[in-house]
Amino acid sequence: MARLFDTHAHYTDARLRDTELLSQALAGDIAGLVTVASDLADSEACIALAAAHESVWASAGIHPHECGKAGALDDAMERLRMLLKKNKAVAIGEIGLDYHYDFSDRETQMRFFRSQMDVAAETGFPVIIHDREAHGDVFDVVRAYRGRVRGILHSCSVSAELVREYVKMGWYISFSGTITFKNAAGILDAVRAVPQDRILVETDCPYLAPVPMRGKLNHSGYLHYTAEKAAELLQMEYEAFCLTEVENAKKIFGLIS
Ligand SMILES: [Zn+2]
C-alpha cells in the first residue's frame, strides 16, 4: 500500500479529537502527519497528541484568526519559544494573514506574522503559512525573510506564477482537497508549476474534504483523493508520487536530512 504524509491536519479539533479516525489513518495509508496548531493552548494540545503517537508531529504557533486574542506580543513569543523546545514540535504554524474573514485586525495579524517569522529565523524551524486573500502581503513578508526562513505554503491558492517564486526561494507547496473541486481550474496550473521535489499534500481536516467526499467530515483517510489528483497533474505514477511526497514532507519538517 502506497502511503502518504498528511502535512496539515487538526486532530485537536473537537470534531476529530476522541475519535478513532487518527489511529485508523495511521493504520492505513498515512505514514505520518503534522497536527497543526491555531493558538498557544492548542499548540500544547498538539504537542501532547504527538507525544502519544509515534508517527504524529506537531506545530506551535498563532493563526491569523487568533492574533487578536493572543495577548501581549512579547509574552506570546516567549511562550512560543518554550513550546518549540518540546519533543516532536517540528514547525511554527499556522501563521500568516487572512483578509477573507479579518477576525483579527490586519495590523495585529501582520505584527504576529512578522514576529513569528523572526522566531523562525532565530530558531531555524520551518513555518506553515496560511494565506487567504492576502497573496501580495504574505509574499512580501516571505521575501523579506528570503534565505533565513523556509516553509510550506499551506492549502495553496496562489497563481502558478507566484508558486514559481516561492519555489525559487526554497519553499514547499502543499495542496488540499480544493484541487479536486469542480471550480478548481486556476489552481490546477499552480499544481503543475510545482517541481516534484517540492510537492506536498494535506487534508486540513476536519475542513476541505476532497471530492467525492466534499461536505463530509474530513480526515487523513481521504488524503489519497487529493494525492491521486496531484499525481495525475504532475504526470507521475501514484506510487512514485507517494514516495516523493513522504520524502519531501520529512525533509521540510527535519525528520530526515
Ligand atoms: Zn489549517
Side-chain angles (χ1 to χ4, degrees), residues 104-153:
S104 309
D105 71 75
R106 292 184 182 184
E107 196 195 316
T108 305
Q109 290 189 41
M110 187 59 94
R111 284 197 303 127
F112 275 82
F113 183 23
R114 286 184 169 280
S115 293
Q116 292 180 97
M117 291 291 280
D118 287 338
V119 173
E122 159 199 320
T123 58
F125 279 95
V127 297
I128 299 168
I129 298 271
H130 173 102
D131 164 12
R132 184 111 190 242
E133 295 172 23
H135 303 332
D137 284 358
V138 167
F139 184 69
D140 285 347
V141 171
V142 166
R143 195 168 42 189
Y145 288 84
R146 182 179 193 141
R148 295 188 290 143
V149 177
R150 284 198 313 157
I152 299 172
L153 191 60

Side-chain angles (χ1 to χ4, degrees), residues 53-243:
H53 296 270
E54 191 185 342
S55 302
V56 175
W57 288 268
S59 77
I62 305 165
H63 189 292
H65 287 346
E66 308 302 326
C67 298
K69 295 175 258 170
L73 183 65
D74 289 351
D75 294 348
M77 293 307 104
E78 211 35 58
R79 265 184 82 194
L80 175 60
R81 286 188 189 89
M82 297 306 290
L83 287 163
L84 291 167
K85 291 185 178 141
K86 307 252 185 176
N87 273 340
K88 299 187 90 177
V90 294
I92 298 174
E94 57 191 291
I95 66 173
L97 301 171
D98 192 311
Y99 292 172
H100 178 75
Y101 288 109
D102 282 319
F103 286 157
S104 309
D105 71 75
R106 292 184 182 184
E107 196 195 316
T108 305
Q109 290 189 41
M110 187 59 94
R111 284 197 303 127
F112 275 82
F113 183 23
R114 286 184 169 280
S115 293
Q116 292 180 97
M117 291 291 280
D118 287 338
V119 173
E122 159 199 320
T123 58
F125 279 95
V127 297
I128 299 168
I129 298 271
H130 173 102
D131 164 12
R132 184 111 190 242
E133 295 172 23
H135 303 332
D137 284 358
V138 167
F139 184 69
D140 285 347
V141 171
V142 166
R143 195 168 42 189
Y145 288 84
R146 182 179 193 141
R148 295 188 290 143
V149 177
R150 284 198 313 157
I152 299 172
L153 191 60
H154 127 74
S155 192
C156 175
S157 62
V158 306
S159 65
E161 195 186 354
L162 207 42
V163 159
R164 287 187 200 97
E165 296 301 318
Y166 277 96
V167 166
K168 270 189 224 160
M169 295 191 293
W171 280 62
Y172 289 70
I173 314 295
S174 184
F175 292 94
S176 67
T178 59
I179 66 169
T180 68
F181 296 175
K182 292 281 177 277
N183 56 0
I187 203 67
L188 303 186
D189 284 334
V191 181
R192 293 188 192 99
V194 182
Q196 291 184 8
D197 64 350
R198 300 296 177 76
I199 190 85
L200 296 170
V201 287
E202 63 175 77
T203 54
D204 200 16
C205 61
Y207 311 103
L208 298 179
V211 171
M213 300 301 171
R214 191 169 183 184
K216 296 196 175 162
L217 177 73
N218 198 11
H219 58 79
S220 303
Y222 293 162
L223 184 58
H224 67 97
Y225 293 112
T226 301
E228 281 157 14
K229 184 72 185 177
E232 177 197 318
L233 291 164
L234 294 181
Q235 298 180 295
M236 294 176 75
E237 294 290 342
Y238 184 68
E239 286 71 21
F241 177 89
C242 293
L243 288 172

Side-chain angles (χ1 to χ4, degrees), residues 9 12 35-38 41-51 56-59:
T12 56
T35 191
V36 176
S38 57
D42 190 34
S43 302
E44 284 185 32
C46 287
I47 289 165
L49 188 63
V56 175
W57 288 268
S59 77

